[in-house]
PDB file of all heavy atoms in Angstrom:
ATOM      1  N   SER A  20     154.157 249.784 133.424  1.00  0.00           N
ATOM      2  CA  SER A  20     155.333 248.848 133.318  1.00  0.00           C
ATOM      3  C   SER A  20     155.329 247.854 134.661  1.00  0.00           C
ATOM      4  O   SER A  20     156.294 247.125 134.854  1.00  0.00           O
ATOM      5  CB  SER A  20     156.633 249.524 133.319  1.00  0.00           C
ATOM      6  OG  SER A  20     156.769 250.319 132.219  1.00  0.00           O
ATOM      7  N   ASP A  21     154.448 248.055 135.513  1.00  0.00           N
ATOM      8  CA  ASP A  21     154.319 247.245 136.720  1.00  0.00           C
ATOM      9  C   ASP A  21     155.580 247.276 137.567  1.00  0.00           C
ATOM     10  O   ASP A  21     155.928 246.207 138.148  1.00  0.00           O
ATOM     11  CB  ASP A  21     153.996 245.800 136.294  1.00  0.00           C
ATOM     12  CG  ASP A  21     152.709 245.547 135.665  1.00  0.00           C
ATOM     13  OD1 ASP A  21     151.802 246.276 135.959  1.00  0.00           O
ATOM     14  OD2 ASP A  21     152.555 244.729 134.733  1.00  0.00           O
ATOM     15  N   SER A  22     156.180 248.473 137.607  1.00  0.00           N
ATOM     16  CA  SER A  22     157.303 248.766 138.482  1.00  0.00           C
ATOM     17  C   SER A  22     158.630 248.100 137.809  1.00  0.00           C
ATOM     18  O   SER A  22     159.638 248.181 138.525  1.00  0.00           O
ATOM     19  CB  SER A  22     157.229 248.438 139.882  1.00  0.00           C
ATOM     20  OG  SER A  22     157.287 247.055 140.086  1.00  0.00           O
ATOM     21  N   PHE A  23     158.564 247.366 136.653  1.00  0.00           N
ATOM     22  CA  PHE A  23     159.719 246.889 136.041  1.00  0.00           C
ATOM     23  C   PHE A  23     160.348 247.889 135.019  1.00  0.00           C
ATOM     24  O   PHE A  23     159.549 248.478 134.305  1.00  0.00           O
ATOM     25  CB  PHE A  23     159.372 245.519 135.358  1.00  0.00           C
ATOM     26  CG  PHE A  23     159.082 244.433 136.375  1.00  0.00           C
ATOM     27  CD1 PHE A  23     157.756 244.126 136.641  1.00  0.00           C
ATOM     28  CD2 PHE A  23     160.100 243.719 137.083  1.00  0.00           C
ATOM     29  CE1 PHE A  23     157.474 243.120 137.443  1.00  0.00           C
ATOM     30  CE2 PHE A  23     159.807 242.801 137.957  1.00  0.00           C
ATOM     31  CZ  PHE A  23     158.530 242.380 138.218  1.00  0.00           C
ATOM     32  N   GLN A  24     161.631 248.022 134.984  1.00  0.00           N
ATOM     33  CA  GLN A  24     162.204 248.862 133.938  1.00  0.00           C
ATOM     34  C   GLN A  24     161.995 248.340 132.652  1.00  0.00           C
ATOM     35  O   GLN A  24     162.072 247.005 132.426  1.00  0.00           O
ATOM     36  CB  GLN A  24     163.616 249.210 134.315  1.00  0.00           C
ATOM     37  CG  GLN A  24     164.606 248.126 134.376  1.00  0.00           C
ATOM     38  CD  GLN A  24     166.001 248.478 134.750  1.00  0.00           C
ATOM     39  OE1 GLN A  24     166.201 249.588 135.137  1.00  0.00           O
ATOM     40  NE2 GLN A  24     166.900 247.517 134.688  1.00  0.00           N
ATOM     41  N   ARG A  25     161.827 249.120 131.580  1.00  0.00           N
ATOM     42  CA  ARG A  25     161.666 248.739 130.137  1.00  0.00           C
ATOM     43  C   ARG A  25     162.685 249.623 129.346  1.00  0.00           C
ATOM     44  O   ARG A  25     162.751 250.742 129.551  1.00  0.00           O
ATOM     45  CB  ARG A  25     160.316 248.953 129.741  1.00  0.00           C
ATOM     46  CG  ARG A  25     159.248 248.099 130.486  1.00  0.00           C
ATOM     47  CD  ARG A  25     159.177 246.813 130.241  1.00  0.00           C
ATOM     48  NE  ARG A  25     158.065 246.268 130.927  1.00  0.00           N
ATOM     49  CZ  ARG A  25     157.864 244.896 131.065  1.00  0.00           C
ATOM     50  NH1 ARG A  25     158.494 244.169 130.334  1.00  0.00           N
ATOM     51  NH2 ARG A  25     156.867 244.509 131.691  1.00  0.00           N
ATOM     52  N   PHE A  26     163.331 248.935 128.518  1.00  0.00           N
ATOM     53  CA  PHE A  26     164.222 249.621 127.541  1.00  0.00           C
ATOM     54  C   PHE A  26     163.936 249.332 126.085  1.00  0.00           C
ATOM     55  O   PHE A  26     163.474 248.218 125.786  1.00  0.00           O
ATOM     56  CB  PHE A  26     165.639 249.162 127.733  1.00  0.00           C
ATOM     57  CG  PHE A  26     166.265 249.501 129.148  1.00  0.00           C
ATOM     58  CD1 PHE A  26     166.534 248.297 129.947  1.00  0.00           C
ATOM     59  CD2 PHE A  26     166.419 250.715 129.592  1.00  0.00           C
ATOM     60  CE1 PHE A  26     167.180 248.699 131.276  1.00  0.00           C
ATOM     61  CE2 PHE A  26     166.872 251.018 130.900  1.00  0.00           C
ATOM     62  CZ  PHE A  26     167.274 249.883 131.766  1.00  0.00           C
ATOM     63  N   LEU A  27     164.164 250.370 125.235  1.00  0.00           N
ATOM     64  CA  LEU A  27     164.085 250.008 123.847  1.00  0.00           C
ATOM     65  C   LEU A  27     165.231 249.179 123.540  1.00  0.00           C
ATOM     66  O   LEU A  27     166.370 249.174 124.114  1.00  0.00           O
ATOM     67  CB  LEU A  27     164.273 251.400 122.971  1.00  0.00           C
ATOM     68  CG  LEU A  27     163.001 252.369 123.131  1.00  0.00           C
ATOM     69  CD1 LEU A  27     163.258 253.643 122.343  1.00  0.00           C
ATOM     70  CD2 LEU A  27     161.684 251.700 122.716  1.00  0.00           C
ATOM     71  N   PRO A  28     165.104 248.270 122.362  1.00  0.00           N
ATOM     72  CA  PRO A  28     166.274 247.427 122.071  1.00  0.00           C
ATOM     73  C   PRO A  28     167.485 248.115 121.455  1.00  0.00           C
ATOM     74  O   PRO A  28     168.513 247.416 121.317  1.00  0.00           O
ATOM     75  CB  PRO A  28     165.631 246.336 121.112  1.00  0.00           C
ATOM     76  CG  PRO A  28     164.358 247.067 120.446  1.00  0.00           C
ATOM     77  CD  PRO A  28     163.903 248.129 121.586  1.00  0.00           C
ATOM     78  N   VAL A  29     167.230 249.266 120.867  1.00  0.00           N
ATOM     79  CA  VAL A  29     168.352 250.082 120.289  1.00  0.00           C
ATOM     80  C   VAL A  29     168.832 251.050 121.263  1.00  0.00           C
ATOM     81  O   VAL A  29     168.143 251.763 121.975  1.00  0.00           O
ATOM     82  CB  VAL A  29     167.761 250.891 119.033  1.00  0.00           C
ATOM     83  CG1 VAL A  29     168.792 251.687 118.466  1.00  0.00           C
ATOM     84  CG2 VAL A  29     167.172 249.885 118.056  1.00  0.00           C
ATOM     85  N   PRO A  30     170.178 251.137 121.443  1.00  0.00           N
ATOM     86  CA  PRO A  30     170.826 252.027 122.439  1.00  0.00           C
ATOM     87  C   PRO A  30     170.660 253.381 122.054  1.00  0.00           C
ATOM     88  O   PRO A  30     170.609 253.796 120.823  1.00  0.00           O
ATOM     89  CB  PRO A  30     172.324 251.587 122.493  1.00  0.00           C
ATOM     90  CG  PRO A  30     172.574 250.952 121.141  1.00  0.00           C
ATOM     91  CD  PRO A  30     171.254 250.363 120.754  1.00  0.00           C
ATOM     92  N   GLY A  31     170.561 254.341 123.039  1.00  0.00           N
ATOM     93  CA  GLY A  31     170.607 255.780 122.774  1.00  0.00           C
ATOM     94  C   GLY A  31     171.901 256.385 122.457  1.00  0.00           C
ATOM     95  O   GLY A  31     172.050 257.369 121.842  1.00  0.00           O
ATOM     96  N   ARG A  32     172.997 255.713 122.929  1.00  0.00           N
ATOM     97  CA  ARG A  32     174.311 256.113 122.739  1.00  0.00           C
ATOM     98  C   ARG A  32     175.165 254.945 122.584  1.00  0.00           C
ATOM     99  O   ARG A  32     175.023 253.939 123.340  1.00  0.00           O
ATOM    100  CB  ARG A  32     174.793 257.027 123.879  1.00  0.00           C
ATOM    101  CG  ARG A  32     176.247 257.332 123.733  1.00  0.00           C
ATOM    102  CD  ARG A  32     176.734 258.162 125.060  1.00  0.00           C
ATOM    103  NE  ARG A  32     178.123 258.390 124.898  1.00  0.00           N
ATOM    104  CZ  ARG A  32     179.066 257.613 125.610  1.00  0.00           C
ATOM    105  NH1 ARG A  32     178.747 256.602 126.279  1.00  0.00           N
ATOM    106  NH2 ARG A  32     180.304 258.003 125.446  1.00  0.00           N
ATOM    107  N   ARG A  33     176.087 254.825 121.615  1.00  0.00           N
ATOM    108  CA  ARG A  33     177.100 253.829 121.529  1.00  0.00           C
ATOM    109  C   ARG A  33     178.416 254.534 121.448  1.00  0.00           C
ATOM    110  O   ARG A  33     178.523 255.589 120.923  1.00  0.00           O
ATOM    111  CB  ARG A  33     176.901 253.052 120.204  1.00  0.00           C
ATOM    112  CG  ARG A  33     175.760 252.161 120.259  1.00  0.00           C
ATOM    113  CD  ARG A  33     175.923 251.367 118.867  1.00  0.00           C
ATOM    114  NE  ARG A  33     174.564 251.432 118.263  1.00  0.00           N
ATOM    115  CZ  ARG A  33     174.097 250.416 117.412  1.00  0.00           C
ATOM    116  NH1 ARG A  33     174.940 249.518 117.166  1.00  0.00           N
ATOM    117  NH2 ARG A  33     172.975 250.515 116.921  1.00  0.00           N
ATOM    118  N   GLY A  34     179.407 253.887 121.946  1.00  0.00           N
ATOM    119  CA  GLY A  34     180.760 254.443 121.816  1.00  0.00           C
ATOM    120  C   GLY A  34     181.860 253.564 122.385  1.00  0.00           C
ATOM    121  O   GLY A  34     181.545 252.387 122.878  1.00  0.00           O
ATOM    122  N   VAL A  35     182.939 254.090 122.603  1.00  0.00           N
ATOM    123  CA  VAL A  35     184.044 253.297 123.272  1.00  0.00           C
ATOM    124  C   VAL A  35     184.760 254.272 124.245  1.00  0.00           C
ATOM    125  O   VAL A  35     185.058 255.517 123.730  1.00  0.00           O
ATOM    126  CB  VAL A  35     185.129 252.805 122.234  1.00  0.00           C
ATOM    127  CG1 VAL A  35     186.372 252.118 122.977  1.00  0.00           C
ATOM    128  CG2 VAL A  35     184.432 251.759 121.389  1.00  0.00           C
ATOM    129  N   ASP A  36     184.945 253.915 125.380  1.00  0.00           N
ATOM    130  CA  ASP A  36     185.802 254.762 126.387  1.00  0.00           C
ATOM    131  C   ASP A  36     186.999 254.008 126.657  1.00  0.00           C
ATOM    132  O   ASP A  36     186.992 252.735 126.949  1.00  0.00           O
ATOM    133  CB  ASP A  36     184.970 254.919 127.653  1.00  0.00           C
ATOM    134  CG  ASP A  36     183.731 255.695 127.579  1.00  0.00           C
ATOM    135  OD1 ASP A  36     183.575 256.462 126.569  1.00  0.00           O
ATOM    136  OD2 ASP A  36     182.914 255.727 128.453  1.00  0.00           O
ATOM    137  N   ILE A  37     188.106 254.664 126.610  1.00  0.00           N
ATOM    138  CA  ILE A  37     189.452 254.055 126.873  1.00  0.00           C
ATOM    139  C   ILE A  37     190.054 254.903 128.073  1.00  0.00           C
ATOM    140  O   ILE A  37     190.083 255.994 128.133  1.00  0.00           O
ATOM    141  CB  ILE A  37     190.322 254.291 125.651  1.00  0.00           C
ATOM    142  CG1 ILE A  37     189.772 253.469 124.478  1.00  0.00           C
ATOM    143  CG2 ILE A  37     191.767 253.716 125.937  1.00  0.00           C
ATOM    144  CD1 ILE A  37     190.569 253.681 123.137  1.00  0.00           C
ATOM    145  N   SER A  38     190.600 254.079 129.022  1.00  0.00           N
ATOM    146  CA  SER A  38     191.337 254.652 130.131  1.00  0.00           C
ATOM    147  C   SER A  38     192.616 253.953 130.108  1.00  0.00           C
ATOM    148  O   SER A  38     192.883 252.769 129.955  1.00  0.00           O
ATOM    149  CB  SER A  38     190.615 254.339 131.478  1.00  0.00           C
ATOM    150  OG  SER A  38     189.260 254.798 131.592  1.00  0.00           O
ATOM    151  N   VAL A  39     193.647 254.944 130.353  1.00  0.00           N
ATOM    152  CA  VAL A  39     195.106 254.354 130.470  1.00  0.00           C
ATOM    153  C   VAL A  39     195.710 255.072 131.762  1.00  0.00           C
ATOM    154  O   VAL A  39     195.297 256.068 132.195  1.00  0.00           O
ATOM    155  CB  VAL A  39     195.980 254.762 129.166  1.00  0.00           C
ATOM    156  CG1 VAL A  39     195.456 254.158 128.063  1.00  0.00           C
ATOM    157  CG2 VAL A  39     195.958 256.332 129.097  1.00  0.00           C
ATOM    158  N   SER A  40     196.762 254.328 132.275  1.00  0.00           N
ATOM    159  CA  SER A  40     197.431 254.841 133.413  1.00  0.00           C
ATOM    160  C   SER A  40     198.828 254.229 133.326  1.00  0.00           C
ATOM    161  O   SER A  40     199.063 253.144 132.862  1.00  0.00           O
ATOM    162  CB  SER A  40     196.696 254.579 134.816  1.00  0.00           C
ATOM    163  OG  SER A  40     196.689 253.217 135.032  1.00  0.00           O
ATOM    164  N   GLY A  41     199.767 254.964 133.948  1.00  0.00           N
ATOM    165  CA  GLY A  41     201.086 254.485 134.128  1.00  0.00           C
ATOM    166  C   GLY A  41     202.076 255.414 134.561  1.00  0.00           C
ATOM    167  O   GLY A  41     201.605 256.429 135.248  1.00  0.00           O
ATOM    168  N   VAL A  42     203.302 255.351 134.330  1.00  0.00           N
ATOM    169  CA  VAL A  42     204.384 256.222 134.746  1.00  0.00           C
ATOM    170  C   VAL A  42     204.458 257.493 133.853  1.00  0.00           C
ATOM    171  O   VAL A  42     204.561 257.352 132.614  1.00  0.00           O
ATOM    172  CB  VAL A  42     205.786 255.502 134.836  1.00  0.00           C
ATOM    173  CG1 VAL A  42     206.830 256.444 135.214  1.00  0.00           C
ATOM    174  CG2 VAL A  42     205.718 254.333 135.687  1.00  0.00           C
ATOM    175  N   ALA A  43     204.471 258.637 134.502  1.00  0.00           N
ATOM    176  CA  ALA A  43     204.547 259.905 133.681  1.00  0.00           C
ATOM    177  C   ALA A  43     205.956 260.080 133.265  1.00  0.00           C
ATOM    178  O   ALA A  43     206.940 259.870 134.024  1.00  0.00           O
ATOM    179  CB  ALA A  43     204.179 260.964 134.490  1.00  0.00           C
ATOM    180  N   THR A  44     206.116 260.161 131.874  1.00  0.00           N
ATOM    181  CA  THR A  44     207.370 260.425 131.282  1.00  0.00           C
ATOM    182  C   THR A  44     207.431 261.681 130.454  1.00  0.00           C
ATOM    183  O   THR A  44     206.404 262.106 130.166  1.00  0.00           O
ATOM    184  CB  THR A  44     207.864 259.236 130.313  1.00  0.00           C
ATOM    185  OG1 THR A  44     207.004 259.117 129.204  1.00  0.00           O
ATOM    186  CG2 THR A  44     207.789 257.940 131.130  1.00  0.00           C
ATOM    187  N   VAL A  45     208.552 262.100 129.877  1.00  0.00           N
ATOM    188  CA  VAL A  45     208.502 263.237 129.039  1.00  0.00           C
ATOM    189  C   VAL A  45     207.730 262.852 127.729  1.00  0.00           C
ATOM    190  O   VAL A  45     207.009 263.651 127.267  1.00  0.00           O
ATOM    191  CB  VAL A  45     210.067 263.467 128.536  1.00  0.00           C
ATOM    192  CG1 VAL A  45     210.116 264.520 127.529  1.00  0.00           C
ATOM    193  CG2 VAL A  45     210.867 263.934 129.781  1.00  0.00           C
ATOM    194  N   ASP A  46     207.815 261.613 127.416  1.00  0.00           N
ATOM    195  CA  ASP A  46     207.080 261.119 126.020  1.00  0.00           C
ATOM    196  C   ASP A  46     205.551 261.200 126.310  1.00  0.00           C
ATOM    197  O   ASP A  46     204.857 261.208 125.300  1.00  0.00           O
ATOM    198  CB  ASP A  46     207.495 259.866 125.640  1.00  0.00           C
ATOM    199  CG  ASP A  46     208.893 259.867 125.257  1.00  0.00           C
ATOM    200  OD1 ASP A  46     209.384 260.809 124.614  1.00  0.00           O
ATOM    201  OD2 ASP A  46     209.588 258.827 125.315  1.00  0.00           O
ATOM    202  N   ASN A  47     205.001 260.964 127.374  1.00  0.00           N
ATOM    203  CA  ASN A  47     203.556 261.087 127.570  1.00  0.00           C
ATOM    204  C   ASN A  47     203.031 262.217 128.336  1.00  0.00           C
ATOM    205  O   ASN A  47     202.021 262.780 127.944  1.00  0.00           O
ATOM    206  CB  ASN A  47     203.001 259.767 128.168  1.00  0.00           C
ATOM    207  CG  ASN A  47     203.464 259.469 129.567  1.00  0.00           C
ATOM    208  OD1 ASN A  47     203.746 260.401 130.422  1.00  0.00           O
ATOM    209  ND2 ASN A  47     203.682 258.259 129.961  1.00  0.00           N
TER     210      ASN A  47
END
């Protein structure tokens, strides 16, 4: 690869990550 990184065009993993933050209440 002549020291250049190479990737396959198809991902090995796909997904969605969700982060939430806020005030802690009885409801959450």
Side-chain angles (χ1 to χ4, degrees):
S20 300
D21 297 327
S22 75
F23 292 100
Q24 63 185 4
R25 304 279 183 190
F26 298 118
L27 292 179
V29 177
R32 174 185 175 261
R33 288 187 228 205
V35 176
D36 293 345
I37 297 175
S38 299
V39 294
S40 65
V42 177
T44 67
V45 173
D46 292 329
N47 62 33

